[in-house]
């Protein structure tokens, strides 16, 4: 049985996620922007928290942890590279490590760029990947600590996962991301159609996260740095994917 996934809106525009294994009863939360909505989501389903998975050190992904642990003692897992600036970890992990929630194996990927030490969690059996502020719906995280080359490496790693993987990212930024994507990839029919779908969802008060990886591959400019159409729009025909990616990220910062 695949893990059951619940999206939990937190703060202004953050998302936390719960995954639940019905057989064992184990339940993990991925990131803790604030405790209240996560406690409510657990209580509504009668679930007991067993694991906390942290993607990176930013306050809007960890600040609710002490309050959550006070009610739900659970095993806290995060990046060994960031152990000095994360809350206390029970398990410190690095790329190549794996652990289980119920019967599902979670594999750790280093997806540095937004921060150096940012990790993603991939659960292949349930076809889920938790990317937080690395790969986002129609976007990628701002480069606060890493270089464009690091983020492009992270994008390339995530792009290699199966296309039917569900991408659980950390923020509802998709409307702005869509407006920006249209400026660098204006003739992409899949992007135009997704942009309408995003507008419809937001008008109905629905989240645009999570999304399918194949849709990101078809529409997300940060996964499409090798696409000649984007290079042409930027007047960069023949430039390397890294140069195109760097320019797209710089334009998004100014957008
Ligand atoms: Zn962040």
């Amino acid at each position: 049985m695949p893990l059951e996934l619940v999206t939990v809106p937190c703060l202004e525009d953050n998302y936390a996620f719960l995954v639940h294994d019905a057989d064992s009863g184990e339940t993990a939360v991925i990131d803790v922007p604030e405790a209240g909505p996560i406690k409510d989501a657990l209580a509504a389903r009668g679930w007991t928290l067993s694991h906390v998975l942290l993607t990176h050190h930013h306050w809007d992904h960890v600040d609710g942890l002490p309050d959550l642990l006070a009610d739900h003692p659970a095993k806290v897992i995060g990046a060994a590279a960031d152990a000095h600036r994360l809350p206390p970890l029970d398990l410190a992990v690095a790329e190549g490590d794996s652990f289980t929630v119920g019967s599902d194996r979670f594999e750790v990927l280093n997806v540095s760029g937004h921060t150096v030490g940012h990790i993603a969690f991939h659960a292949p059996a349930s076809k889920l990947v938790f990317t937080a502020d690395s790969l986002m719906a129609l976007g990628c995280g701002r480069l606060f600590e890493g270089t464009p080359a690091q983020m492009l490496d992270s994008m390339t790693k995530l792009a290699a996962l199966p296309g039917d993987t569900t991408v659980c990212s950390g923020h509802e930024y998709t409307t702005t991301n869509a407006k920006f994507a249209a400026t660098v990839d204006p003739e992409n029919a899949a992007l135009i159609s997704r942009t309408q779908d995003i507008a419809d969802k937001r008008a109905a008060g629905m989240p645009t996260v999570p999304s399918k990886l194949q849709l990101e591959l078809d529409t997300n400019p940060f996964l499409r740095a090798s696409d000649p159409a984007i290079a042409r729009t930027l007047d960069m025909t023949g430039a390397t994917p890294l140069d195109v990616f760097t320019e797209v990220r710089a334009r998004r910062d100014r957008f």
Side-chain angles (χ1 to χ4, degrees):
M1 274 257 289
L3 294 166
E4 184 177 346
L5 175 71
V6 177
T7 304
V8 185
C10 293
L11 305 174
E12 285 283 299
D13 56 27
N14 277 77
Y15 291 117
F17 300 92
L18 294 176
V19 289
H20 177 72
D21 177 61
D23 293 336
S24 66
E26 289 197 333
T27 304
V29 67
I30 296 86
D31 285 342
V32 192
E34 59 177 335
I38 295 167
K39 288 184 189 177
D40 291 348
L42 289 165
R45 292 163 181 82
W47 292 352
T48 304
L49 197 66
S50 52
H51 299 74
V52 177
L53 280 50
L54 300 176
T55 60
H56 68 296
H57 71 91
H58 283 160
W59 69 270
D60 61 323
H61 295 258
V62 303
D63 261 16
L65 186 62
D67 187 5
L68 181 65
L69 289 178
D71 283 11
H72 292 273
K75 180 173 181 173
V76 181
I77 301 172
D82 262 350
H84 62 287
R85 55 181 181 173
L86 284 169
L89 301 176
D90 299 303
L91 179 64
V93 294
E95 177 154 289
D97 290 345
S98 65
F99 55 89
T100 57
V101 176
S103 55
D104 255 48
R105 191 175 81 257
F106 279 67
E107 297 170 349
V108 177
L109 299 170
N110 176 352
V111 291
S112 287
H114 174 70
T115 65
V116 173
H118 194 311
I119 54 176
F121 300 100
H122 178 219
S126 292
K127 299 181 185 294
L128 297 170
V129 66
F130 298 89
T131 58
D133 299 354
S134 59
L135 175 61
M136 307 179 82
L138 261 187
C140 79
R142 193 176 277 258
L143 300 177
F144 286 116
E145 298 175 11
T147 63
Q150 280 175 315
M151 187 61 111
L152 180 57
D153 277 354
S154 300
M155 295 296 104
T156 303
K157 217 178 276 181
L158 292 165
L161 301 179
D164 59 352
T165 304
T166 298
V167 179
C168 302
S169 54
H171 290 271
E172 183 61 58
Y173 292 162
T174 323
T175 301
T176 309
N177 287 344
K179 286 183 187 147
F180 170 73
T183 68
V184 297
D185 200 9
E187 282 158 33
N188 181 338
L191 174 60
I192 293 164
S193 144
R194 185 180 186 187
T195 300
Q196 185 56 53
D197 181 56
I198 289 162
D200 293 346
K201 281 199 169 118
R202 296 309 291 154
M206 289 163 61
T208 64
V209 173
S211 56
K212 290 290 180 198
L213 180 59
Q214 188 59 54
L215 184 61
E216 298 302 334
L217 292 168
D218 292 342
T219 57
N220 187 326
F222 296 99
L223 291 176
R224 299 169 54 72
S226 313
D227 189 293
I230 293 184
R232 200 160 52 238
T233 302
L234 300 180
D235 212 8
M236 293 178 75
T237 296
T240 65
L242 177 57
D243 285 342
V244 171
F245 181 89
T246 302
E247 176 63 18
V248 172
R249 186 59 253 177
R251 288 183 185 220
R252 179 64 180 87
D253 289 348
R254 298 192 298 264
F255 187 71

